[in-house]
Amino acid sequence: MSKTRIVKTTCSICGPCCEVDAYVEDGKLAGVEGARNTPAQSGGLCAKGAAALQYVYNKERILYPMRRAGEKGEGKFERISWDEAYEMIAENLLRIRESYGARSTVFYAGYPKWFRPALLRMANAYGSPNFCTESSTCFQAAALAWRSIYGNGICGPDMPNVKTLMLWSSNLYHSNTPMSGMYKSLKKRGIKVIDVDPRHTVTAHDADLHLQLIPGTDGALALSMAQVIIEEDLYDKKFVEQYVYGFEEYKDYVQDFTPEKAEKITGVPKDMIRLAARTYAGEGPAGIMFSASPVVHHMNGVQNYRAVFSLIAITGNYDVKGGNRQCPAPSCPVNEFGKVRRYDQEEAIGQKEFPAWFDLSCDEAQCIRLADYILEEEAYQIKAVFAMGLNHRMWPQPQRLNEALGKLDFYVNVELFMSESSKMADLVLPACTSYEREEVHALRGGRFFFSNQAIRPLGESKNDIEIIMGVMKKMGLKDEVLLQGYDSYMEYILKPAGITLEELKSHPEGMQGKNLIPPAEKTYETQPFHTPSGKVELKSLVLEKYKASHGYEGLPVYHDYRTETSIDREEYPLILNTGSRKPQFFHARLYRMPWLAGIEKEPLAEIHPEDGKRYGIADGSPVRLITPAGEAEGIAAYDIAGQPGIVYIYHGSSKGDANELIGKDYLDPISGFPGFKGYFCRIEAVKEEGGQYDKV
Ligand SMILES: Nc1nc2c(c(=O)[nH]1)N[C@H]1C(S)=C(S)[C@@H](COP(=O)(O)OP(=O)(O)OC[C@H]3O[C@@H](n4cnc5c(=O)[nH]c(N)nc54)[C@H](O)[C@@H]3O)O[C@H]1N2
Ligand SMILES: Nc1nc2c(c(=O)[nH]1)N[C@H]1C(S)=C(S)[C@@H](COP(=O)(O)OP(=O)(O)OC[C@H]3O[C@@H](n4cnc5c(=O)[nH]c(N)nc54)[C@H](O)[C@@H]3O)O[C@H]1N2
Ligand code: SF4
Ligand SMILES: [Mo]
């Protein structure tokens, strides 16, 4: 009988990296369980993590380096050796740099994050300013909004010490399962929770106050709360006087946003706005938990989040115990590893159109217009893409991007699966999952964990960082760490924490870093804010710099996408909100897992029963969504969690991709983020032809 081993490792199917006890039999993964006996976890896994075997042993896994053998996009490939693959990359990327300049090559990372610092170093060593990631639609716009006010460090809520928590668009039961235990514990501690969400989610159900606003009206709601806080003298005058720039103009601007007016814009009753403002300002310390995406997936997204983040400053909840507070440092030496200034003399993708992104974001380009750069010679043409986890379904008008990728001189995708985006590549390289690699994890609060290799990499797959090392070596690119091998890399990132790799390996339960700088409080008393004025900028001087050229405004102004649009609202009367997270899906990558895909076989368009009746669409029947940019089909699901007038649909499915519906130029002018959560559509019943759809 074969012996079962339990290996301490991690799941990183969706990124947060949950610790896992993997059951291994005869070198094969036989089962997974949430790790027991770790301080970080209670032994559970989410639905996605529990289906790990279908991820690791998926029939679409790429097992060998594969070179295109047919036409681009045809999907015909032939197996080659790793050495031939590295040779092919080196030859092409060196030729393209020679002929068109380094900036003609884009280095791109999709959602997976663990190898990004190494990829950034590769882009730097090659000399291209075009390192970019999925953050062209995620998180960076929220970071930009934050930095435009506070200058640096993004501060999350100080959960152990908050008295009031305002969740501003986060449905963590679905999007961040590992955090849900913490959220539940708030109730036991008597913490007041205010949830701002257009839908009555499970998370909203557990809150004390749910502000059910119309999507994209967040700015008006926050400005109105500020109006109440200032009018009722609930603001922190001392902090404002000493540390805030632009308060008088901000104060004048918010005057207009009375709860009466805001109720008309947002749909939130005026009394609830007042109550929320009084609770947040009066029952502190209070923290705001914000999300990487929904608020900034709107045309006025950056300004809307600026209005929200301004509330932290005016109530004196910035960098105090129980407020929004700086994280302990060094929170993640892995990030430091990638912090080599990119080659920024040359214009990067998006730099002309979205200049504030480059002033206020981290070291990456804004690649939302990647297809335009390939197809239309924007400022210059992109000729090659070296991608790790590129999924064209992330972008609006995904087919257009995929076609553009097919026109490149050279395109490599390093992937787990032979995805549709991979089929367009000249070369596809097999990455391995977290179960097949060793990895050092730097976790919150300065905890480190060594994730063991539970099984050997499938086929000839390799971990992404080893692939980067192989490519760099073949190209003759210099890097003091990456050319020393993977163990050296792990040693290097552990060094600041005062731990050796040997030590960490001998502590399967993980270790606390040794040289951690404890969380500070009120850092502003000793250091100025990293803004042009040295203060908290309610009126951003960086944004204002682009007033004449780009029309940006310094104050967190509110523009309503529903009225300030050239789209004919009579033709497209409904708001289209795409991509609110579902526990079983993760963008485009999990539709290939039978357990998970089986939960929702066709894309569900969630509509309010009133809209269903108005447009003659029965619950469970086929429906067509039509926007100015495209059409997609799905199954109508009556849902009373949202309000009439709004259609919700998940993205990433090849059966009915919500992103085919979104216009490619429908972008927030400051961040370049698409208005994924505030576009317009109409819906109509689809005539069934011989049972085209499975019943859901
Ligand atoms: N299961 C699963 N988990 C995920 C992901 C996944 O695909 N699947 N994706 C990961 C990624 S990339 C991200 S960025 C995070 C996102 O994490 P979250 O932001 O927590 O998740 P969402 O469901 O996108 O949005 C949260 C809530 O915002 C609401 N919302 C929609 N539009 C608006 C709006 O205009 N204003 C406000 N205030 N609220 C709005 C939605 O109703 C939803 O309940 O999730 C991560 N976790
Ligand atoms: N309409 C609409 N569109 C959206 C959103 C929305 O809410 N609505 N959300 C946006 C947001 S917030 C985000 S973050 C993006 C996410 O968009 P993507 O980054 O496109 O997300 P994924 O589908 O997870 O694709 C990443 C790819 O990486 C591969 N992969 C996974 N692990 C590894 C690994 O270890 N190594 C390598 N090399 N590859 C790996 C996966 O197989 C997958 O094909 O989508 C954005 N697009
Ligand atoms: S939340 Fe689920 S899918 Fe994501 S890492 Fe944890 S167990 Fe895996
Ligand atoms: Mo995201």
Side-chain angles (χ1 to χ4, degrees), residues 111 134 391 394 414-415 464 578 581 587-589 659 677:
Y111 184 87
E134 124 285 11
N391 158 36
M394 172 187 103
V414 183
E415 250 290 351
D464 295 87
T578 65
R581 307 311 187 226
H587 307 294
R589 69 169 84 161
N659 275 335
K677 297 202 165 50

Side-chain angles (χ1 to χ4, degrees), residues 426-437:
D426 298 295
L427 180 65
V428 186
L429 297 180
C432 66
T433 67
S434 57
Y435 290 100
E436 299 152 82
R437 64 177 181 243

Side-chain angles (χ1 to χ4, degrees), residues 433-493:
T433 67
S434 57
Y435 290 100
E436 299 152 82
R437 64 177 181 243
E438 292 186 337
E439 195 180 337
V440 168
H441 288 277
L443 305 163
R444 264 167 206 239
R447 189 170 161 266
F448 291 84
F449 175 75
F450 184 75
S451 176
N452 288 284
Q453 185 184 49
I455 53 168
R456 288 175 56 78
L458 264 60
E460 287 182 6
S461 64
K462 284 183 195 285
N463 93 45
D464 295 87
I465 292 185
E466 284 178 317
I467 297 173
I468 291 171
M469 290 169 170
V471 173
M472 288 182 76
K473 204 164 178 185
K474 194 58 112 187
M475 277 208 279
L477 300 179
K478 303 249 174 317
D479 187 290
E480 75 212 41
V481 184
L482 288 172
L483 295 183
Q484 307 302 318
Y486 188 60
D487 276 2
S488 278
Y489 164 79
M490 290 194 283
E491 288 281 8
Y492 181 88
I493 59 171

Side-chain angles (χ1 to χ4, degrees), residues 171 174-175 197 199 216 218 291 294 298 581-582 585 587 650:
N171 183 14
H174 288 186
S175 67
D197 194 310
R199 299 178 310 147
D218 302 78
S291 164
H298 279 286
R581 307 311 187 226
K582 297 194 173 188
F585 289 143
H587 307 294
Y650 199 70

